[in-house]
C-alpha cells in the first residue's frame, strides 16, 4: 500500500510545477554581466554630465536649472543605460491581426535605439509566440465575423455614455446573462477594460479596516486596486499555503494593528494563471483555508478563462470545484476571446452592489457593441450553442499544443517555469546580454517572441515568455522548436540539469531498414 | 578542415564571452575600451606570473635537487 500524497484528497489530478534553479555559474555570470553594464552606465552618465556626449534624455530648460529638479537623474539609471541598448525588442508595431502569424513593420535605428525610423517594408508571416490568443479567436475569417459585422452596421462603434446613464444596451444584458450561464453563477457584470475591472472594483468591495491578503506576484491591476481601496495589504509568498495560513491566523488572533479589533473583512486576492511564471493557483487548498478562517476569495482569471479546464471554463473547472466556492470571479475577455474588456461574476447580491457602487460602472464608458458581439459569438462557440463542436476542438487543440510544446522544451534541456498544463511558457534566459541576442535572432528566423527583463521579473531571472495558441499548427510549433534548439545550442541556454535525450527526433519516422 | 572548425569554435567562444559580459550590447568605442582594459589586465597577469614564478622556481628547484642528492648519498652510504 502506497503512502498518500500530501493533501491527496483535495486534488483530483496530479499538480506538477517546475521552478528549477540554474547552476551556480549562471548566477555568477549574470551578476558579472550586470556589473559590467553598471560600470559602463556610470561611465556614460559621467560623459553626459561633462558634456562629452550628447544628452538624449528629458531635461529642464536653462532658465529652470536653479529650481527644484524636475527629472531625477539616478532613478532612470537602469532605463537609460541598460534598457535603451536593447529597446528595439519591445514596442514593435504590427500591421495585421495578431493571429498565429502576423506582419511586422520593419524598424531600424541610426543612433543605438534612441530614435527609430520605419523603412516602409513589412516582415510578413512572422510566427506569433507572444500574443495572448489562447483559443485562436483573433481571426479575420468573414464567416466567423458575420454576426459582428451585422451588429457593427446596426449599432455603430461608440456608446457615448456610462452604464448608469444611457450606456446599457441590450447587447450588454445578453452578454451578462451568457457569461453567468457560461460560468455557472447567478449573475455577472461586464466592463469595457480588463485592467479597470480590477483597479476600479476592488475599492468598491473593500475599504479602511479591511484586510487584503495578496499573492507576491499579483498583477499591477490587482495591486493598484488594493492600494486605492485604503485597506491594509499583507503579502504571502507565491502560491505558498503555509505562508497564507500563517497570515490568516495572525490576522484573526491579533486583529487590526493598534486597536486589536476584529477586521471588518478579510479578502484573498489570487490569479488563476500567473502570467510571468506560468503557475496555476492552488485553488482547492485556498478554498479550504478560506472556509476554515471565514475569509473571502477574489479570483482573477485573466489568463485562465478559456485556456484551462475540460471545456474552457477556467481553473474552477480545472480542479473540479463548483463556482460557488469562489466569492468573486473576475476575468478578462482580452486573452481567450479576441476582444477587450472584463467581467465580474458571482452571486446576484454582489453584482447588484457593484452596479451601483463601482467606479467603473458609474463613470467609465461601457463596452462597445461589436466587441460585445465578438465575445457573445466566441462564448457561444465555446459552449457549443452555435451547433458545432468547434469550441471544444479549440480547447482540446490548445491542451495538445501546450503539452507538446512543454514536453519538447523540457526534453531539449531548457529551464521552463510553471505548471505542465498552463499555456504560458516562460523560458529562462538569466543573463542580460542574452535577452537582446535571443529576441533579435528569433526575429531573423521569422519568429516573434516577447522577452521580459528587470522591472517585471526579479533582476537575475530574465526570461522569454511564449504563449501557446490553439491556432498554432504542429508545423509552426516544430519550426519554433527547431529554431529554439539551434539557438539554445549557440547561446548556451540549456541549463537544465535533469536528464533528457539528446536531440530527439521531432517527426515520427518509422525506420525501415530494407536489405537489398 | 580542422583549421576551420577550430576557428569556428574560437569565434563561438568569443561570442559567449561577449554575451556573458554584456559587451554584445556596447557601442564600438565602448567595446574597444573594454577589450583593451581586459587585455591589459590579462597581460599584466601573465607578466606577474612569469616574474614571480621564474624568481621563485630556481631556488625551489635547487632545494629539491639538494634533498634528492642527499638521499642518494645516504642510500649509497647505507648500501656500502
Amino acid at each position: 500500500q502506497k503512502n498518500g500524497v500530501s493533501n491527496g484528497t483535495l486534488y483530483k489530478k496530479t499538480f506538477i510545477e517546475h521552478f528549477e534553479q540554474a547552476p551556480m555559474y549562471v548566477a555568477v555570470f549574470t551578476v558579472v554581466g550586470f556589473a559590467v553594464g553598471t560600470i559602463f552606465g556610470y561611465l556614460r552618465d559621467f560623459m553626459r554630465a561633462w558634456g562629452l556626449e550628447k544628452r538624449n534624455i528629458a531635461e529642464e530648460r536653462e532658465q529652470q536649472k536653479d529650481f527644484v529638479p524636475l527629472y531625477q537623474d539616478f532613478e532612470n539609471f537602469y532605463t537609460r543605460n541598460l534598457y535603451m541598448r536593447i529597446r528595439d525588442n519591445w514596442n514593435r508595431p504590427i500591421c495585421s491581426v495578431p493571429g498565429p502569424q502576423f506582419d511586422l513593420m520593419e524598424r531600424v535605428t541610426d543612433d543605438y535605439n534612441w530614435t527609430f525610423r520605419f523603412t516602409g517594408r513589412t516582415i510578413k508571416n512572422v510566427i506569433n509566440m507572444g500574443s495572448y490568443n489562447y483559443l485562436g479567436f483573433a481571426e479575420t475569417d468573414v464567416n466567423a465575423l458575420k454576426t459582428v459585422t451585422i451588429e457593427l452596421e446596426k449599432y455603430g462603434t461608440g456608446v457615448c455614455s456610462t452604464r448608469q446613464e444611457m450606456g446599457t444596451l441590450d447587447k450588454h444584458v445578453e452578454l451578462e446573462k451568457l457569461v453567468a450561464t457560461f460560468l455557472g453563477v447567478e449573475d455577472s457584470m461586464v466592463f469595457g477594460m480588463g485592467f479597470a475591472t480590477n483597479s476600479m472594483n476592488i475599492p468598491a468591495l473593500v475599504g479602511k479596516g479591511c484586510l487584503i491578503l495578496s499573492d507576491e506576484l499579483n498583477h499591477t491591476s490587482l495591486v493598484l486596486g488594493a492600494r486605492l481601496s485604503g485597506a491594509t495589504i499583507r503579502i504571502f509568498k507565491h502560491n505558498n499555503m503555509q505562508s497564507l495560513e500563517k497570515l490568516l491566523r495572525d490576522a484573526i488572533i491579533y486583529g487590526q494593528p493598534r486597536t486589536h479589533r476584529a477586521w471588518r473583512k478579510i479578502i484573498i486576492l489570487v490569479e488563476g494563471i500567473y502570467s510571468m511564471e506560468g503557475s496555476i493557483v492552488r485553488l482547492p487548498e485556498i478554498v479550504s483555508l478560506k472556509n476554515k478562517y471565514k475569509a473571502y476569495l477574489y479570483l482573477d482569471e485573466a489568463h485562465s478563462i478559456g485556456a484551462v479546464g475540460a471545456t474552457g471554463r477556467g481553473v474552477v473547472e480545472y480542479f473540479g470545484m463548483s463556482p460557488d466556492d469562489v466569492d468573486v470571479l473576475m476575468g478578462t475577455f482580452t486573452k481567450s476571446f479576441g476582444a477587450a474588456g472584463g467581467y465580474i461574476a458571482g452571486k446576484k447580491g454582489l453584482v447588484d452592489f457593484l452596479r451601483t457602487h463601482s467606479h467603473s460602472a458609474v463613470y467609465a464608458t461601457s463596452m462597445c457593441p461589436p466587441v460585445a458581439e465578438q465575445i457573445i459569438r466566441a462564448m457561444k462557440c465555446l459552449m457549443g450553442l452555435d451547433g458545432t463542436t468547434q469550441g471544444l476542438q479549440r480547447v482540446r487543440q490548445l491542451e495538445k499544443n501546450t503539452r507538446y510544446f512543454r514536453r519538447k522544451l523540457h526534453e531539449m534541456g531548457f529551464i521552463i517555469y510553471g505548471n505542465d498544463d498552463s499555456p504560458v511558457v516562460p523560458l529562462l534566459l538569466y543573463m542580460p546580454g542574452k535577452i537582446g541576442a535571443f529576441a533579435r535572432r528569433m526575429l531573423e528566423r521569422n519568429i516573434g517572441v516577447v522577452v521580459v527583463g528587470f522591472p517585471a521579473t526579479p533582476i537575475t531571472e530574465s526570461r522569454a515568455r511564449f504563449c501557446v495558441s490553439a491556432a498554432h499548427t504542429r508545423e509552426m510549433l516544430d519550426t519554433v522548436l527547431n529554431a529554439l534548439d539551434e539557438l539554445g545550442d549557440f547561446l548556451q541556454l540549456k541549463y537544465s540539469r535533469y536528464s533528457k535525450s539528446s536531440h530527439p527526433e521531432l517527426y515520427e519516422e518509422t525506420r525501415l531498414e530494407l536489405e537489398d | 578542415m580542422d583549421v576551420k572548425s577550430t576557428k569556428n569554435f574560437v569565434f563561438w567562444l568569443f561570442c559567449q564571452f561577449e554575451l556573458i559580459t554584456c559587451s554584445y550590447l556596447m557601442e564600438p568605442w565602448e567595446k574597444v575600451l573594454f577589450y583593451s582594459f581586459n587585455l591589459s589586465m590579462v597581460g599584466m597577469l601573465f607578466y606577474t606570473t612569469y616574474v614571480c614564478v621564474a624568481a621563485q622556481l630556481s631556488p625551489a628547484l635547487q632545494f629539491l635537487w639538494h634533498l634528492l642528492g642527499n638521499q642518494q648519498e645516504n642510500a649509497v652510504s647505507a648500501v656500502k
Side-chain angles (χ1 to χ4, degrees):
Chain A
Q1 192 175 1
K2 288 192 290 191
N3 282 335
V5 178
S6 66
N7 286 328
T9 49
L10 280 179
Y11 288 92
K12 297 185 177 79
K13 55 165 114 165
T14 49
F15 187 87
I16 309 172
E17 280 196 343
H18 309 265
F19 289 102
E20 190 185 336
Q21 260 203 336
M24 181 58 85
Y25 71 86
V26 173
V28 170
F29 285 158
T30 315
V31 172
V32 162
F34 272 109
V36 172
T38 316
I39 293 174
F40 274 91
Y42 278 125
L43 177 69
R44 297 292 291 269
D45 273 351
F46 173 76
M47 286 175 56
R48 273 186 270 250
W50 281 76
L52 294 166
E53 195 190 341
K54 194 163 73 96
R55 268 178 255 205
N56 283 319
I57 47 170
E59 54 178 19
E60 307 103 320
R61 292 183 299 156
E62 271 308 311
Q63 300 91 323
Q64 292 172 328
K65 290 279 184 201
D66 293 326
F67 295 1
V68 173
L70 206 52
Y71 305 104
Q72 291 288 21
D73 268 350
F74 194 71
E75 267 172 14
N76 299 325
F77 179 81
Y78 177 82
T79 314
R80 240 187 351 256
N81 295 312
L82 285 166
Y83 174 72
M84 276 296 168
R85 295 182 192 265
I86 43 178
R87 195 165 80 118
D88 59 312
N89 298 313
W90 288 282
N91 303 332
R92 292 181 183 149
I94 69 175
C95 47
S96 76
V97 67
Q101 287 181 326
F102 63 145
D103 303 332
L104 269 182
M105 294 176 75
E106 198 180 1
R107 231 175 22 157
V108 291
T109 175
D110 300 315
D111 50 356
Y112 299 102
N113 293 343
W114 286 97
T115 55
F116 293 104
R117 64 182 167 86
F118 295 107
T119 59
R121 286 190 289 265
T122 51
I123 310 175
K124 295 242 177 259
N125 288 338
V126 180
I127 298 182
N128 186 358
M129 296 305 290
S131 291
Y132 307 129
N133 184 18
Y134 299 127
L135 292 175
F137 280 117
E139 54 196 355
T140 46
D141 181 28
V142 180
N143 287 332
L145 295 180
K146 223 189 309 210
T147 45
V148 180
T149 338
I150 296 173
E151 300 301 323
L152 179 62
E153 284 168 2
K154 180 173 163 193
Y155 288 98
T157 48
V159 185
C160 313
S161 187
T162 65
R163 282 298 290 262
Q164 281 209 348
E165 291 173 12
M166 268 204 274
T168 306
L169 307 174
D170 54 351
K171 273 276 157 254
H172 296 136
V173 176
E174 186 187 340
L175 177 58
E176 285 170 5
K177 282 213 198 57
L178 190 63
V179 170
T181 326
F182 181 68
L183 295 169
V185 289
E186 285 176 20
D187 200 3
S188 78
M189 180 170 182
V190 299
F191 303 91
M193 180 176 163
F195 187 99
T197 312
N198 269 334
S199 47
M200 297 294 121
N201 285 308
I202 297 179
L205 294 172
V206 287
K208 274 181 75 114
C210 303
L211 176 65
I212 293 182
L213 297 173
S214 132
D215 189 292
E216 203 178 18
L217 299 175
N218 267 341
H219 191 250
T220 317
S221 55
L222 289 164
V223 172
L224 192 63
R227 287 182 189 166
L228 272 178
S229 67
T232 315
I233 308 175
R234 301 216 175 128
I235 316 280
F236 63 93
K237 294 204 182 60
H238 177 59
N239 241 358
N240 188 333
M241 296 302 114
Q242 287 78 21
S243 167
L244 176 60
E245 180 159 20
K246 181 172 187 320
L247 282 181
L248 276 167
R249 290 177 80 95
D250 284 344
I252 292 182
I253 294 171
Y254 295 111
Q256 299 194 20
R258 268 182 320 109
T259 56
H260 292 296
R261 289 192 200 158
W263 292 101
R264 279 177 43 211
K265 215 182 292 188
I266 302 181
I267 192 165
I268 307 174
L269 296 183
V270 284
E271 288 187 40
I273 292 185
Y274 292 90
S275 60
M276 275 305 147
E277 310 283 310
S279 52
I280 298 187
V281 67
R282 292 177 184 274
L283 197 60
E285 294 177 57
I286 292 193
V287 168
S288 65
L289 273 178
K290 112 170 163 65
N291 285 333
K292 178 177 174 187
Y293 293 104
K294 311 270 188 303
Y296 295 105
L297 181 58
Y298 183 106
L299 179 65
D300 176 352
E301 289 205 84
H303 285 269
S304 54
I305 189 78
V308 287
T311 56
R313 281 164 164 80
V315 276
V316 172
E317 190 188 21
Y318 177 74
F319 287 112
M321 310 176 69
S322 103
D324 297 328
D325 291 330
V326 183
D327 300 297
V328 188
L329 282 160
M330 178 266 168
T332 61
F333 300 117
T334 327
K335 279 77 175 190
S336 304
F337 297 96
Y343 67 86
I344 287 202
K347 297 261 179 313
K348 192 159 192 320
L350 167 76
V351 179
D352 285 343
F353 177 81
L354 281 178
R355 282 190 213 278
T356 39
H357 287 88
S358 155
H359 294 288
S360 192
V362 178
Y363 298 109
T365 316
S366 45
M367 191 186 272
C368 82
V371 172
E373 179 55 37
Q374 157 72 6
I375 304 168
I376 292 176
R377 79 133 186 123
M379 228 173 233
K380 282 195 176 152
C381 179
L382 254 188
M383 290 163 75
L385 291 176
D386 60 342
T388 66
T389 53
Q390 206 196 50
L392 210 53
Q393 276 171 5
R394 283 177 194 251
V395 176
R396 296 268 180 275
Q397 183 65 34
L398 176 65
E399 210 179 328
K400 265 197 298 196
N401 282 353
T402 310
R403 293 239 180 89
Y404 178 67
F405 199 65
R406 275 182 174 267
R407 183 169 57 89
K408 286 293 175 193
L409 284 177
H410 272 297
E411 277 173 18
M412 284 185 201
F414 292 101
I415 294 190
I416 310 287
Y417 273 8
N419 196 305
D420 274 343
D421 289 321
S422 98
V424 178
V425 186
L427 189 151
L428 275 274
L429 298 172
Y430 294 105
M431 297 172 208
K434 297 193 182 177
I435 305 176
F438 185 82
R440 284 177 199 152
R441 279 167 204 264
M442 287 297 265
L443 189 59
E444 277 167 28
R445 289 173 166 76
N446 245 18
I447 301 172
V449 296
V450 169
V451 284
V452 207
F454 169 55
T457 66
I459 196 159
T460 44
E461 289 177 13
S462 44
R463 57 199 75 175
R465 185 184 65 179
F466 298 101
C467 291
V468 184
S469 158
H472 283 134
T473 58
R474 192 46 85 93
E475 289 81 36
M476 284 185 216
L477 287 181
D478 283 338
T479 321
V480 175
L481 285 165
N482 277 333
L484 280 175
D485 203 8
E486 277 174 38
L487 215 52
D489 281 331
F490 182 73
L491 293 176
Q492 287 288 300
L493 292 173
K494 299 188 177 176
Y495 301 121
S496 181
R497 281 174 280 201
Y498 299 111
S499 66
K500 55 253 163 218
S501 54
S502 55
H503 300 282
E505 293 295 315
L506 278 177
Y507 305 95
E508 282 132 27
E509 291 168 1
T510 48
R511 290 169 200 274
L512 294 170
E513 261 122 358
L514 297 171
E515 295 279 337
D516 268 325
Chain B
M1 285 270 291
D2 208 33
V3 177
K4 189 156 167 57
S5 71
T6 326
K7 258 194 353 189
N8 279 345
F9 182 64
V10 170
F11 178 67
W12 177 79
L13 267 185
F14 176 66
C15 279
Q16 294 305 304
F17 170 77
E18 269 200 325
L19 282 172
I20 291 172
T21 56
C22 280
S23 53
Y24 169 81
L25 306 175
M26 294 179 193
E27 299 173 25
W29 63 269
E30 287 174 328
K31 276 195 205 185
V32 163
L33 200 65
F34 186 61
Y35 293 150
S36 52
F37 174 76
N38 276 359
L39 286 173
S40 59
M41 281 286 135
V42 167
M44 283 200 280
L45 189 74
F46 275 143
Y47 177 69
T48 322
T49 320
Y50 172 70
V51 165
C52 277
V53 170
Q56 302 287 340
L57 203 60
S58 16
L61 276 176
Q62 267 186 4
F63 182 63
L64 203 64
W65 289 135
H66 185 65
L67 265 185
L68 277 176
N70 261 348
Q71 266 195 2
Q72 274 177 1
E73 279 171 13
N74 289 339
V76 163
S77 57
V79 163
K80 267 200 196 148

